[in-house]
Amino acid sequence: MPTNIERCDAVIVGAGPAGLLLAVCLVRFGYSIRIIDKRETRTLTGRADGLQPRSLELLRNMGLKRQIMAHEPAKVYEVAFWNPSSQGQGIHRTGHGKACPPSIDARYPFTTLLHQGLIEGVFIDDLHERGVHVQRPWTLSEFENNGKETAYPVRLVLKHVKQDEQQELRSKYLFSAEGARSTIREMLGIELQHREPISNVWGVMDGVVRTNFPDLKMKCNIHSDHGSMMIIPREKDLVRLYIQIASSSDPDFDPHHAATAEEVQASAKRILEPYDVEWERVEWYSVYPIGQGIADRYTLDERIFLLGDACHTHSPKAGQGMNTAFHDALNLAFKIHLVESGFAKRSLLKTYETERKMIAENLLDFDAKYASLFSQKVSSMMKTGSHFEGNEEGDDSNEFLKVFRESQDFTSGFGIVYEANAMVWSPSHPAQSALFQHERTNVRLGRVMPRANVTRVVDANVVKLEHEIPLNGSFRIFLFAGSPSTTKRAVADFATNLERKDSFYSSYAYRDLAAVSHHERHNPHTRFISICTIFAATRDSIDIATMLPPLIARYSYQVYADDIVDASMSNERAAAHAKLGFDEQKGAVILVRPDGHVACVVDLVEGSGTVDALNDFFGAVATKRLGHRREQARL
Amino acid sequence: MPTNIERCDAVIVGAGPAGLLLAVCLVRFGYSIRIIDKRETRTLTGRADGLQPRSLELLRNMGLKRQIMAHEPAKVYEVAFWNPSSQGQGIHRTGHGKACPPSIDARYPFTTLLHQGLIEGVFIDDLHERGVHVQRPWTLSEFENNGKETAYPVRLVLKHVKQDEQQELRSKYLFSAEGARSTIREMLGIELQHREPISNVWGVMDGVVRTNFPDLKMKCNIHSDHGSMMIIPREKDLVRLYIQIASSSDPDFDPHHAATAEEVQASAKRILEPYDVEWERVEWYSVYPIGQGIADRYTLDERIFLLGDACHTHSPKAGQGMNTAFHDALNLAFKIHLVESGFAKRSLLKTYETERKMIAENLLDFDAKYASLFSQKVSSMMKTGSHFEGNEEGDDSNEFLKVFRESQDFTSGFGIVYEANAMVWSPSHPAQSALFQHERTNVRLGRVMPRANVTRVVDANVVKLEHEIPLNGSFRIFLFAGSPSTTKRAVADFATNLERKDSFYSSYAYRDLAAVSHHERHNPHTRFISICTIFAATRDSIDIATMLPPLIARYSYQVYADDIVDASMSNERAAAHAKLGFDEQKGAVILVRPDGHVACVVDLVEGSGTVDALNDFFGAVATKRLGHRREQARL
């Protein structure tokens, strides 16, 4: 084995949203990575531009939202629907609806529109600050998982795109974030399953327009007698238009139909009648057929993985490509971390494909339905439009509106719900305890934890509970401790059982606890677990030193009072407890995965039961044997 | 006149908070400036650290809040009060209170604590981006307003502090933002009036401590048997302690008492008993006597001005120095702008001293009372402490708490209310019309406009109304247009009368209106006025093109629906109208100065009355004769 070959934890091919977010996560979790891209620069024009509400929360949790907002993106709070007027005088507005209705309970109930290159820039800057640079223009020329070296099984050769320069590396992992035309996928022989034949051709154009159309700063879904169009406002004075160019119902339909910028503009002009539109500047345009594909496998060996467009392609119109890529990357990143850091068994990595492929399947189902409805010629029923006058709250008979509304939970990102597996509890999970809560509360397993505002005890700051533990690879324990007077014993027992040396908590403690700074707020005891305690009490009634056992008091920066009025939870003193469905007299413990999704909810009880249940839950993936003694004593 | 002498609009001496904020404003308004500082670097340690709520709003309006928050400052939401326990066992908490109670109606109800050097950095970076750099280490060696050149009457010579290098300049204005030891003030012979003799010596220490004192992340006012102390949490793990070192009631009191770091630390240790405190790191410490002074004059000739500590000094403990400096700078900047841009007569500049000196007098009054109470030995009445147990909401018999509470409006910055003058209407203003509202609504003349959330019509974004017009030197007209059906005619007449060529609006129109980009959102017609229209209606019922005359519709980005639920204004459909006290059937017009303070409120009526009143109001300062015809026709 030549020792002069560089070794790293991961090589990421492709510095688009998927690859960059994966890189940012892995670097934060402490891994050495290489990220290469065959393009010479970041994305300059075109491509994706929409951050869905859940994606913005993710970026907030990573400390990157401020950098995104500094670009002053457009924010879409509402969507307007336009249809042909019955008099044949062009289009008129027939309704509108919230982009992210209150039922979704998003912290940021809007879509954030910003050019992909600027979003990439936020990640690239973050990597720079941590000493990692995207290597461009470089490509992957060879790779194999040859198993010759257990720790670094992947051998690969990187090559400069323009110069005669190459480099051999050994890595633990290789990631293809190359986009739809993934060469790694091809070289692995993984098939992309195509679905529906191409039945529509769309043009997309970014630029600056001058128009008397009143909804240019809103997202618009437009059906006209001359085809369909979608308007997406953007940062500065930019706008993106998706314009239907050809449809399979046209007599001479050709799925490889090309169109010039002028043709695309002419289509837009006809669709927007009776309004005028003039282009001041075209920044980018492209014509694409709508196609759908999904990779058979996301990995063959749990060493080389696909993510983002490399494993699923679809229409861009629901703004899901970049967002889905983010969640692929996040899902993969935290699992790689848990395995490589010695917390979890390698089998955990299998859940990447099961969790994310199901989401991609759902996405393609939705996308097919949505794209097809979007491209349909408008029926005469829709033309009359009478029941859409005013707003969208009324009749559901318009199929398009119906699909749109049903899909909002999914497209917002909050509809991502992972099915039961080792990391999402269900009655079929190996961990069996009557204390696991299932469909008993408002916390849905597999979905992100509901948001809540609480008061931090030590400084009286009003904070967003779901963001208090940063995205650092830790599991998050939210100890909803209810009323201190009734849960005192249960909280003490919870701490006592965490302290047992075979608990999931103590088994993975730092080797040298004395070396941890007393300023450490999130992970004073183990890098894998962080604990937030929320009392159903007012801030001034909480004395951390006397009301919490030392183990939990050590997380003093993460002790909160559930005393903020939530207008949607009227009459509830402890709004967060009430919102999540927890009894103030009993409390409960939520275990949230490092990606923000709820792993399980456990009753908070006196005795060892709560920690026992968590030991069993973690036992399904942990590398160490947890909670021995109790196993013998179990019923 | 030698033509090779450089000319600029303004020279600012001193790059602390006062000088930098003045520079940032003047550069935004389009002026050429020089800013010099005798120090080689920005502030590295010590000095000010508290942004009061109103200051943070100002920075938000300047687009700089995000950069401040990126430093993750401490936020003080609450203040804790500690007093000696009756058992002589050291201190105990006797109460707490909100740093900025809801009655103040602040957008950001907390004090933001961040080291002055980091705040300076935000301004310095902003100047850099606009091509302006602080010249260091340079000082002013000579200056005179010799009147030899009308346009640039101030001749000055700048000198490098260390090298034999100097530069002669001519400038329109010279500003001393040099701090308490202003050489310009001395050279002008302006006296600093001192008030009370020094009766207390305090130490201030910034650093990182390890303690079991539970309120280290809160602001604390501590009275003990060993003296008084104040705790101010800071960014990262820093804390600032103000510690009483000596008092005039001491037998051997010396106002120039010095103290070593060790002595200051020993004092802190005694005061905090029974809690422990150890210093991990001391970043800075200083000992200062409390002195108060105020300059007789802020300017002699309206060409050379003093601002910030150069005109008022006081105790640092109420966190007012930097904040008062900001408002001096802002007040000066917009008035210089209105005069230099040809909008206002030079006499406007006289209001800088009248407005800001009154605020400084108020500040010194408050400061004297507060500092004296703070330094007092604790009376036996306070020691018993029985009526402070629990919290501060109860008994007012503690004089300290009483002063503290009364002063919160003032210290938050929202208590800055300018008295009547040419730019704050009152019944004695030259403009006389029955339409001026005075003490009829909830909008207080001379104070900043109340905050309100509204929905922007064009994009359905929920926005903070008071921040919609950026700090760009424009007056802000908030046209509360009430119910569209009842005010339609009044709104049309308002526009018609603005369009009259001798209105305050049209008189200062751009010379070449055709050259203005149709993307211009805030100032499409004149740089001096920006218009926001707020309808008491839901967003979807507002059609800008048909409901507003073209002049106002041109500000389409600034048309809003008053349809956001405000929990504090229950049952009101149009919460912003209701909060400000405007009748939905009538509406009203608020004229807000470029600094955010309300100039006047006028009834919205059919006919020319509303614009006539505004013409008259502006007539008190405008360089042009406004509203001729009406004058002849006036009653």
Side-chain angles (χ1 to χ4, degrees), chain B residues 92-360:
Chain B
H92 70 153
R93 192 194 295 120
T94 54
H96 62 90
K98 293 218 177 297
C100 185
S103 60
I104 293 177
D105 192 37
R107 180 66 71 177
Y108 311 111
F110 50 82
T111 308
T112 302
L113 281 307
L114 187 66
H115 180 250
Q116 178 174 325
L118 296 174
I119 297 169
E120 290 174 5
V122 169
F123 295 131
I124 291 169
D125 291 349
D126 186 70
L127 289 172
H128 277 211
E129 275 174 31
R130 295 159 199 265
V132 176
H133 306 275
V134 179
Q135 203 173 334
R136 316 176 179 266
W138 279 69
T139 185
L140 179 68
S141 71
E142 297 174 34
F143 69 90
E144 56 171 342
N145 173 0
N146 63 14
K148 278 187 191 151
E149 214 178 298
T150 321
Y152 296 89
V154 184
R155 188 191 74 87
L156 33 78
V157 179
L158 307 181
K159 194 164 88 42
H160 196 286
V161 168
K162 299 192 157 176
Q163 292 156 21
D164 184 20
E165 200 180 332
Q166 63 174 43
Q167 193 178 8
E168 189 177 346
L169 283 175
R170 294 205 71 99
S171 178
K172 293 179 178 168
Y173 296 93
L174 171 64
F175 300 103
S176 166
E178 300 162 283
R181 295 195 187 82
S182 164
T183 55
I184 295 175
R185 186 187 68 220
E186 279 173 28
M187 288 163 82
L188 290 175
I190 295 175
E191 293 285 323
L192 201 62
Q193 297 298 330
H194 291 281
R195 292 207 184 173
E196 312 289 324
I198 291 164
S199 59
N200 284 284
V201 178
W202 284 75
V204 52
M205 186 170 279
D206 289 350
V208 178
V209 304
R210 181 168 192 146
T211 180
N212 57 352
F213 179 73
D215 286 355
L216 195 75
K217 301 285 180 194
M218 308 260 267
K219 180 174 171 182
C220 297
N221 287 323
I222 303 174
H223 285 98
S224 85
D225 291 328
H226 307 287
S228 298
M229 186 162 92
M230 181 183 280
I231 297 181
I232 308 279
R234 282 268 299 277
E235 73 278 9
K236 294 194 192 121
D237 299 308
L238 286 164
V239 67
R240 166 168 288 189
L241 303 186
Y242 287 103
I243 301 146
Q244 192 177 20
I245 302 291
S247 156
S248 57
S249 61
D250 298 343
D252 55 348
F253 177 67
D254 167 12
H256 302 291
H257 185 101
T260 64
E262 290 70 26
E263 286 167 336
V264 171
Q265 289 171 340
S267 284
K269 226 176 164 63
R270 277 194 305 274
I271 293 169
L272 271 182
E273 282 169 9
Y275 298 99
D276 299 325
V277 57
E278 271 172 58
W279 291 80
E280 286 190 358
R281 179 161 71 81
V282 173
E283 187 174 280
W284 175 75
Y285 93 99
S286 176
V287 171
Y288 63 95
I290 293 183
Q292 284 199 324
I294 192 162
D296 275 343
R297 300 291 310 274
Y298 282 25
T299 180
L300 300 177
D301 56 1
E302 279 99 40
R303 288 290 182 178
I304 303 171
F305 290 88
L306 313 179
L307 67 157
D309 287 356
C311 27
H312 41 73
T313 63
H314 47 84
S315 151
K317 277 196 298 299
Q320 295 298 302
M322 178 163 63
N323 295 279
T324 304
F326 283 165
H327 291 99
D328 285 351
L330 173 64
N331 194 287
L332 198 43
F334 92 82
K335 290 172 182 174
I336 296 281
H337 167 55
L338 292 178
V339 168
E340 287 304 313
S341 59
F343 183 91
K345 290 181 263 196
R346 293 199 67 78
S347 60
L348 175 65
L349 295 177
K350 293 192 188 300
T351 65
Y352 166 63
E353 183 176 302
T354 52
E355 291 193 338
R356 296 304 305 166
K357 200 172 171 205
M358 183 203 71
I359 299 296

Side-chain angles (χ1 to χ4, degrees), chain A residues 201 245 254 256-260 263 287:
Chain A
V201 179
I245 302 291
D254 167 12
H256 302 290
H257 185 103
T260 64
E263 286 167 338
V287 170

